[in-house]
Amino acid sequence: MKPMPHLDGLLEKARSNGVFGTKMRSVIKKPSKAGIEKVVAQQFELGLRIVEAGLCPIIEPEVDIECPEKALAEQLLEQAICSRLDDLDEDQLVMLKLTLPEVDDFYLRLIEHPNVVRFVALSG
């Protein structure tokens, strides 16, 4: 993601205007464990800033539908997200917005996680 030097001010403005949450989008082009973990770490770091501002972050690490070995990328992504979710305090709630997986019910563990308030399908 590009640097966001004015994020705190924008989050305050959003909260004062009754906004529920905001998202930051990253795109995964190949199934790289290190790369996917870095993307998820970045998403959750910004997500925690959004939580601290009183909003709900929409975590959106998109797996490109043209990704070679898309199912493997989804497996790595699910593991990385689950690990980050397990590190959250019970009052740190997030939404997840992910590409439809290759396998039905693949993200069920994420959907049912107590820190996930909504799970949204990315239509791309």
Side-chain angles (χ1 to χ4, degrees), residues 27-33 35-36 64 67-69 73 76:
V27 180
I28 297 165
K29 299 275 189 183
K30 62 182 182 178
S32 162
K33 181 176 171 68
I36 289 171
D64 188 314
C67 175
E69 299 182 86
L76 296 169

Side-chain angles (χ1 to χ4, degrees), residues 10 17 29 45 58 65-68 80 85 101 106:
L10 291 171
N17 282 292
K29 299 275 189 183
E45 286 168 16
I58 303 168
I65 61 172
E66 302 297 324
C67 175
L85 288 172
F106 181 74

Side-chain angles (χ1 to χ4, degrees), residues 63-99:
V63 175
D64 188 314
I65 61 172
E66 302 297 324
C67 175
E69 299 182 86
K70 182 174 175 273
L72 176 57
E74 292 166 349
Q75 181 182 17
L76 296 169
L77 178 63
E78 192 267 353
Q79 291 168 358
I81 292 173
C82 196
S83 175
R84 293 289 174 159
L85 288 172
D86 288 344
D87 289 340
L88 296 177
D89 294 338
E90 67 181 34
D91 63 336
Q92 294 174 315
L93 305 176
V94 303
M95 291 179 61
L96 297 175
K97 185 175 181 183
L98 303 177
T99 309

Side-chain angles (χ1 to χ4, degrees), residues 19-123:
V19 172
F20 176 74
T22 187
K23 69 176 185 122
M24 51 275 156
R25 180 174 169 254
S26 300
V27 180
I28 297 165
K29 299 275 189 183
K30 62 182 182 178
S32 162
K33 181 176 171 68
I36 289 171
E37 287 177 355
K38 186 175 180 179
V39 163
V40 171
Q42 185 182 50
Q43 289 270 324
F44 274 83
E45 286 168 16
L46 284 170
L48 288 175
R49 286 180 60 191
I50 293 166
V51 167
E52 289 170 6
L55 301 171
C56 183
I58 303 168
I59 306 296
E60 186 179 351
E62 172 185 351
V63 175
D64 188 314
I65 61 172
E66 302 297 324
C67 175
E69 299 182 86
K70 182 174 175 273
L72 176 57
E74 292 166 349
Q75 181 182 17
L76 296 169
L77 178 63
E78 192 267 353
Q79 291 168 358
I81 292 173
C82 196
S83 175
R84 293 289 174 159
L85 288 172
D86 288 344
D87 289 340
L88 296 177
D89 294 338
E90 67 181 34
D91 63 336
Q92 294 174 315
L93 305 176
V94 303
M95 291 179 61
L96 297 175
K97 185 175 181 183
L98 303 177
T99 309
L100 292 172
E102 294 297 304
V103 177
D104 290 346
D105 296 325
F106 181 74
Y107 290 127
L108 193 57
R109 180 167 68 153
L110 302 179
I111 293 167
E112 294 177 343
H113 197 283
N115 291 86
V116 176
V117 295
R118 290 284 185 273
F119 191 97
V120 181
L122 223 157
S123 61

